[in-house]
Amino acid sequence: MSASNPLFGDLLLKLGVVTPGQVQEALALQALTGQRVGEALISLGYVSREQIQDALGEALGLNHEKGPAQPPLGELLVGLKYVTLAQLDEALARQRRDGRRLGEILVELGHCTYKQIYEALGVQNRIVGRQDLPRPATEGRRRVVVVDDSPLACAFVQEGLVALGYEVLCFQDPYEALEGMGRLQPAIVLSDLEMPGLDGVELCRRLKEGPRSTIPVIMLTANDREAERVRGLRAGADDYVNKSASMDELAARIESVVRRTDETERMRKLFARYTSDAVVEEILKSADAAVLAGEKREVTVLFADIRNFTGLAESLPPEQVVAVLNQVLGRLSDAVLTCGGTLDKFLGDGLMAVFGAPVGRPDDALRGLQCAKMMMEALVELRAVAEAEWVALGREGRPLVLELGVGLNSGVVVSGNIGSALRAEYTCIGDAVNVAARLCALAGPGEILVGERTRELVDANETAFEDLPPVRLKGKQQPVPLYRAL
């Protein structure tokens, strides 16, 4: 008996490797191409070459060495307690009648879910050792992940893109593909639109809402219905490519999407130097949410200044002064970004931060106050570390203590790019900024002085304040109400 014999299809049926419908397709293809039945089944994607070899070995009575056997999908589903034996028998009976996939029938009958089918297939692959291990990206080649439940479609795209110089990893299980994004780190994902269980739109949505949201996604589809395209784009898809398109067109679309993504990533890294990741995401998400050309808006401005730094600079070598300054300002900057503020500028041994520009939130004032308190806590921690190091080195006396003064004020400012055509910086200008700077100058070591408008905005949160006598500030005709945050 050989793989060219029609009886070989009967043997594969008895072994449970294929279905009657699949054998009929292979026989029809054999009549057209002259292929052997086994080769036709392989080209249709119903069996692997290893399964054909195993079947031939059994037909000839050869006890050849082989790897672990692949357990039938039905047995695995029963073993995992996703279906019962009675449910499996019902599905197998229907499969013998119409030749469809066992998993599709079980889901159609309501006996299990597609997620459970994919989990069982993953176990099946691991048993026979076909689970691909993560590999490092090949230098100089873009890594493309293809997700399609059709082995033939995967193989076709893989062959074409590899020939064009790409590194291609294929997944027939979309859940497995999602789980592998972190370790594989592809440059782009190509996903079939219509897949059982988790379709391409849902896969795209989950990817864009997860930690790997910056990975671009192109939908591969034979369906040109506008509604489907809109649904995918709303889920975050970066482009659509018809499956009938040439490999050259697909490669051109890939390069176009990757270029746009790289440019967005450059913008992300630029903004991330000044503001928090959350603000960066909002800026990139909607251009209307962030106006950089200049506009009036209410913000909360924070000025922080290190006390006693001049004395420290006089007692240490310049390189140590820079190291200490970077350490302190680094912790202060972390507080700004953690609370969702924008780091406006460094001012020698201090800084200016803004909450509410370029993206505003209802609780900007509260965020500014929380940031000020985080800064105070950071200075306490740094002082404790400095004192421990001083003792460990056996020095006499005590190290020079660094303190922090903070001024916080809210009001309407003009925010935007200020400067010339050659050089500009994003900042805020206005009376509220000037008052915040004056309050910072008045603040004693470890003190947070707050303006009247800031207190009004955070009062609903029952934050404790101490009323202080109004103060006269430079440029203000009337005394300014003053509060100390407790």
Side-chain angles (χ1 to χ4, degrees), residues 117-133:
I117 295 292
Y118 285 128
E119 288 175 357
L121 288 171
V123 172
Q124 191 182 58
N125 287 341
R126 286 192 288 275
I127 289 174
V128 297
R130 292 188 302 170
Q131 187 88 347
D132 288 333
L133 295 174

PDB file of all heavy atoms in Angstrom, residues 117-133:
ATOM      1  N   ILE A 117     -11.009  25.005  22.805  1.00  0.00           N
ATOM      2  CA  ILE A 117     -10.461  24.259  21.665  1.00  0.00           C
ATOM      3  C   ILE A 117      -9.001  24.642  21.447  1.00  0.00           C
ATOM      4  O   ILE A 117      -8.120  23.782  21.271  1.00  0.00           O
ATOM      5  CB  ILE A 117     -11.278  24.544  20.381  1.00  0.00           C
ATOM      6  CG1 ILE A 117     -12.710  24.014  20.510  1.00  0.00           C
ATOM      7  CG2 ILE A 117     -10.583  23.936  19.158  1.00  0.00           C
ATOM      8  CD1 ILE A 117     -12.824  22.512  20.555  1.00  0.00           C
ATOM      9  N   TYR A 118      -8.711  25.948  21.453  1.00  0.00           N
ATOM     10  CA  TYR A 118      -7.341  26.400  21.236  1.00  0.00           C
ATOM     11  C   TYR A 118      -6.414  25.925  22.347  1.00  0.00           C
ATOM     12  O   TYR A 118      -5.259  25.589  22.109  1.00  0.00           O
ATOM     13  CB  TYR A 118      -7.300  27.928  21.134  1.00  0.00           C
ATOM     14  CG  TYR A 118      -7.815  28.464  19.818  1.00  0.00           C
ATOM     15  CD1 TYR A 118      -8.800  29.443  19.772  1.00  0.00           C
ATOM     16  CD2 TYR A 118      -7.303  27.991  18.614  1.00  0.00           C
ATOM     17  CE1 TYR A 118      -9.277  29.942  18.565  1.00  0.00           C
ATOM     18  CE2 TYR A 118      -7.778  28.482  17.406  1.00  0.00           C
ATOM     19  CZ  TYR A 118      -8.757  29.450  17.387  1.00  0.00           C
ATOM     20  OH  TYR A 118      -9.210  29.937  16.196  1.00  0.00           O
ATOM     21  N   GLU A 119      -6.916  25.930  23.587  1.00  0.00           N
ATOM     22  CA  GLU A 119      -6.095  25.437  24.694  1.00  0.00           C
ATOM     23  C   GLU A 119      -5.744  23.970  24.498  1.00  0.00           C
ATOM     24  O   GLU A 119      -4.608  23.544  24.732  1.00  0.00           O
ATOM     25  CB  GLU A 119      -6.833  25.644  26.016  1.00  0.00           C
ATOM     26  CG  GLU A 119      -6.896  27.104  26.451  1.00  0.00           C
ATOM     27  CD  GLU A 119      -7.745  27.295  27.691  1.00  0.00           C
ATOM     28  OE1 GLU A 119      -8.329  26.299  28.178  1.00  0.00           O
ATOM     29  OE2 GLU A 119      -7.843  28.437  28.180  1.00  0.00           O
ATOM     30  N   ALA A 120      -6.719  23.173  24.058  1.00  0.00           N
ATOM     31  CA  ALA A 120      -6.463  21.753  23.814  1.00  0.00           C
ATOM     32  C   ALA A 120      -5.483  21.557  22.668  1.00  0.00           C
ATOM     33  O   ALA A 120      -4.604  20.681  22.721  1.00  0.00           O
ATOM     34  CB  ALA A 120      -7.783  21.028  23.519  1.00  0.00           C
ATOM     35  N   LEU A 121      -5.607  22.378  21.624  1.00  0.00           N
ATOM     36  CA  LEU A 121      -4.662  22.288  20.507  1.00  0.00           C
ATOM     37  C   LEU A 121      -3.249  22.648  20.962  1.00  0.00           C
ATOM     38  O   LEU A 121      -2.269  22.060  20.504  1.00  0.00           O
ATOM     39  CB  LEU A 121      -5.102  23.221  19.374  1.00  0.00           C
ATOM     40  CG  LEU A 121      -6.333  22.784  18.580  1.00  0.00           C
ATOM     41  CD1 LEU A 121      -6.794  23.895  17.645  1.00  0.00           C
ATOM     42  CD2 LEU A 121      -6.048  21.512  17.787  1.00  0.00           C
ATOM     43  N   GLY A 122      -3.149  23.644  21.870  1.00  0.00           N
ATOM     44  CA  GLY A 122      -1.842  23.994  22.398  1.00  0.00           C
ATOM     45  C   GLY A 122      -1.219  22.850  23.170  1.00  0.00           C
ATOM     46  O   GLY A 122      -0.027  22.563  23.039  1.00  0.00           O
ATOM     47  N   VAL A 123      -2.027  22.156  23.972  1.00  0.00           N
ATOM     48  CA  VAL A 123      -1.532  20.984  24.702  1.00  0.00           C
ATOM     49  C   VAL A 123      -1.099  19.904  23.722  1.00  0.00           C
ATOM     50  O   VAL A 123      -0.055  19.260  23.883  1.00  0.00           O
ATOM     51  CB  VAL A 123      -2.626  20.451  25.653  1.00  0.00           C
ATOM     52  CG1 VAL A 123      -2.202  19.119  26.269  1.00  0.00           C
ATOM     53  CG2 VAL A 123      -2.919  21.456  26.745  1.00  0.00           C
ATOM     54  N   GLN A 124      -1.897  19.707  22.668  1.00  0.00           N
ATOM     55  CA  GLN A 124      -1.591  18.712  21.646  1.00  0.00           C
ATOM     56  C   GLN A 124      -0.243  19.001  20.988  1.00  0.00           C
ATOM     57  O   GLN A 124       0.589  18.098  20.819  1.00  0.00           O
ATOM     58  CB  GLN A 124      -2.712  18.716  20.601  1.00  0.00           C
ATOM     59  CG  GLN A 124      -2.681  17.570  19.610  1.00  0.00           C
ATOM     60  CD  GLN A 124      -3.810  17.701  18.609  1.00  0.00           C
ATOM     61  OE1 GLN A 124      -3.917  18.694  17.915  1.00  0.00           O
ATOM     62  NE2 GLN A 124      -4.667  16.687  18.552  1.00  0.00           N
ATOM     63  N   ASN A 125       0.003  20.255  20.667  1.00  0.00           N
ATOM     64  CA  ASN A 125       1.273  20.627  20.033  1.00  0.00           C
ATOM     65  C   ASN A 125       2.450  20.436  20.965  1.00  0.00           C
ATOM     66  O   ASN A 125       3.530  20.005  20.552  1.00  0.00           O
ATOM     67  CB  ASN A 125       1.218  22.084  19.560  1.00  0.00           C
ATOM     68  CG  ASN A 125       0.336  22.259  18.335  1.00  0.00           C
ATOM     69  OD1 ASN A 125       0.044  21.292  17.640  1.00  0.00           O
ATOM     70  ND2 ASN A 125      -0.103  23.476  18.093  1.00  0.00           N
ATOM     71  N   ARG A 126       2.244  20.785  22.251  1.00  0.00           N
ATOM     72  CA  ARG A 126       3.341  20.627  23.199  1.00  0.00           C
ATOM     73  C   ARG A 126       3.700  19.160  23.411  1.00  0.00           C
ATOM     74  O   ARG A 126       4.862  18.814  23.616  1.00  0.00           O
ATOM     75  CB  ARG A 126       2.977  21.293  24.530  1.00  0.00           C
ATOM     76  CG  ARG A 126       3.032  22.811  24.474  1.00  0.00           C
ATOM     77  CD  ARG A 126       2.949  23.409  25.852  1.00  0.00           C
ATOM     78  NE  ARG A 126       1.620  23.295  26.436  1.00  0.00           N
ATOM     79  CZ  ARG A 126       0.642  24.160  26.217  1.00  0.00           C
ATOM     80  NH1 ARG A 126       0.850  25.199  25.437  1.00  0.00           N
ATOM     81  NH2 ARG A 126      -0.531  24.011  26.782  1.00  0.00           N
ATOM     82  N   ILE A 127       2.697  18.292  23.359  1.00  0.00           N
ATOM     83  CA  ILE A 127       2.952  16.865  23.556  1.00  0.00           C
ATOM     84  C   ILE A 127       3.841  16.304  22.457  1.00  0.00           C
ATOM     85  O   ILE A 127       4.736  15.495  22.693  1.00  0.00           O
ATOM     86  CB  ILE A 127       1.623  16.084  23.643  1.00  0.00           C
ATOM     87  CG1 ILE A 127       0.924  16.412  24.970  1.00  0.00           C
ATOM     88  CG2 ILE A 127       1.853  14.572  23.534  1.00  0.00           C
ATOM     89  CD1 ILE A 127      -0.448  15.818  25.107  1.00  0.00           C
ATOM     90  N   VAL A 128       3.622  16.734  21.231  1.00  0.00           N
ATOM     91  CA  VAL A 128       4.416  16.211  20.117  1.00  0.00           C
ATOM     92  C   VAL A 128       5.650  17.076  19.845  1.00  0.00           C
ATOM     93  O   VAL A 128       6.338  16.904  18.847  1.00  0.00           O
ATOM     94  CB  VAL A 128       3.562  16.085  18.831  1.00  0.00           C
ATOM     95  CG1 VAL A 128       2.456  15.091  19.043  1.00  0.00           C
ATOM     96  CG2 VAL A 128       3.003  17.438  18.399  1.00  0.00           C
ATOM     97  N   GLY A 129       5.895  18.050  20.722  1.00  0.00           N
ATOM     98  CA  GLY A 129       7.127  18.835  20.610  1.00  0.00           C
ATOM     99  C   GLY A 129       7.142  19.819  19.485  1.00  0.00           C
ATOM    100  O   GLY A 129       8.196  20.182  18.976  1.00  0.00           O
ATOM    101  N   ARG A 130       5.954  20.317  19.068  1.00  0.00           N
ATOM    102  CA  ARG A 130       5.923  21.254  17.952  1.00  0.00           C
ATOM    103  C   ARG A 130       5.806  22.701  18.399  1.00  0.00           C
ATOM    104  O   ARG A 130       5.644  23.590  17.601  1.00  0.00           O
ATOM    105  CB  ARG A 130       4.742  20.928  17.027  1.00  0.00           C
ATOM    106  CG  ARG A 130       4.909  19.605  16.303  1.00  0.00           C
ATOM    107  CD  ARG A 130       3.851  19.417  15.267  1.00  0.00           C
ATOM    108  NE  ARG A 130       2.519  19.475  15.861  1.00  0.00           N
ATOM    109  CZ  ARG A 130       1.404  19.539  15.149  1.00  0.00           C
ATOM    110  NH1 ARG A 130       1.443  19.559  13.844  1.00  0.00           N
ATOM    111  NH2 ARG A 130       0.230  19.589  15.735  1.00  0.00           N
ATOM    112  N   GLN A 131       5.871  22.917  19.708  1.00  0.00           N
ATOM    113  CA  GLN A 131       5.781  24.278  20.216  1.00  0.00           C
ATOM    114  C   GLN A 131       7.046  25.044  19.860  1.00  0.00           C
ATOM    115  O   GLN A 131       8.137  24.666  20.222  1.00  0.00           O
ATOM    116  CB  GLN A 131       5.618  24.249  21.741  1.00  0.00           C
ATOM    117  CG  GLN A 131       5.360  25.600  22.351  1.00  0.00           C
ATOM    118  CD  GLN A 131       3.890  25.926  22.369  1.00  0.00           C
ATOM    119  OE1 GLN A 131       3.100  25.275  21.724  1.00  0.00           O
ATOM    120  NE2 GLN A 131       3.540  26.953  23.100  1.00  0.00           N
ATOM    121  N   ASP A 132       6.916  26.113  19.114  1.00  0.00           N
ATOM    122  CA  ASP A 132       8.080  26.908  18.717  1.00  0.00           C
ATOM    123  C   ASP A 132       8.628  27.662  19.917  1.00  0.00           C
ATOM    124  O   ASP A 132       7.883  28.297  20.664  1.00  0.00           O
ATOM    125  CB  ASP A 132       7.698  27.923  17.621  1.00  0.00           C
ATOM    126  CG  ASP A 132       7.436  27.230  16.295  1.00  0.00           C
ATOM    127  OD1 ASP A 132       8.009  26.154  16.091  1.00  0.00           O
ATOM    128  OD2 ASP A 132       6.655  27.771  15.502  1.00  0.00           O
ATOM    129  N   LEU A 133       9.930  27.601  20.116  1.00  0.00           N
ATOM    130  CA  LEU A 133      10.573  28.343  21.186  1.00  0.00           C
ATOM    131  C   LEU A 133      10.798  29.778  20.722  1.00  0.00           C
ATOM    132  O   LEU A 133      11.021  30.039  19.542  1.00  0.00           O
ATOM    133  CB  LEU A 133      11.916  27.694  21.550  1.00  0.00           C
ATOM    134  CG  LEU A 133      11.827  26.295  22.144  1.00  0.00           C
ATOM    135  CD1 LEU A 133      13.222  25.725  22.326  1.00  0.00           C
ATOM    136  CD2 LEU A 133      11.076  26.293  23.463  1.00  0.00           C
TER     137      LEU A 133
END
